[in-house]
Amino acid sequence: MKRIRSTVPPLTYGGTRERLSRHAIYLRLSHLEIEKRRRASELALVKQRLAAISQRMATLGDEIDHLKALESRVDESFEVEEYESPDALKIEY
């Protein structure tokens, strides 16, 4: 009687067993738990940044509206005086 070979090889190309050891499973699980915790903290930070950015966008809109309202009330004849720097700040070459 001829022996029937299995379709699943007992060794992988790396020369290790196909079945993982308990220690390898433990290491992989711990690595995934650490990554999960790190991604959760990154997500929380991104949410905080997004909230801060959206709040700033709202205040920018209010500031723009306020400045546009001030612009319409500014007197067009207002002139800026020329500023002359003090002698101490002048540079002689």
Side-chain angles (χ1 to χ4, degrees):
M1 204 163 155
K2 195 172 188 182
R3 183 176 167 206
I4 299 174
R5 289 189 173 182
S6 171
T7 57
V8 179
L11 299 177
T12 62
Y13 293 112
T16 59
R17 291 179 158 198
E18 267 192 3
R19 272 178 77 179
L20 295 174
S21 67
R22 286 186 180 179
H23 183 67
I25 293 171
Y26 168 77
L27 289 176
R28 182 70 179 147
L29 282 174
S30 61
H31 173 74
L32 292 175
E33 287 293 330
I34 290 170
E35 184 179 2
K36 183 180 176 182
R37 186 174 297 145
R38 183 172 52 91
R39 298 286 183 190
S41 65
E42 287 176 359
L43 184 62
L45 289 174
V46 167
K47 286 180 180 178
Q48 288 176 357
R49 290 183 64 200
L50 185 60
I53 289 171
S54 60
Q55 181 182 6
R56 179 62 182 147
M57 289 294 287
T59 58
L60 285 175
D62 294 341
E63 287 180 31
I64 289 171
D65 294 341
H66 178 70
L67 288 176
K68 283 183 179 179
L70 286 178
E71 183 183 26
S72 64
R73 293 187 297 183
V74 170
D75 185 15
E76 296 297 328
S77 64
F78 179 73
E79 293 181 13
V80 177
E81 297 177 10
E82 287 198 31
Y83 172 76
E84 188 172 327
S85 60
D87 292 335
L89 297 178
K90 290 183 181 177
I91 300 174
E92 294 181 14
Y93 294 100

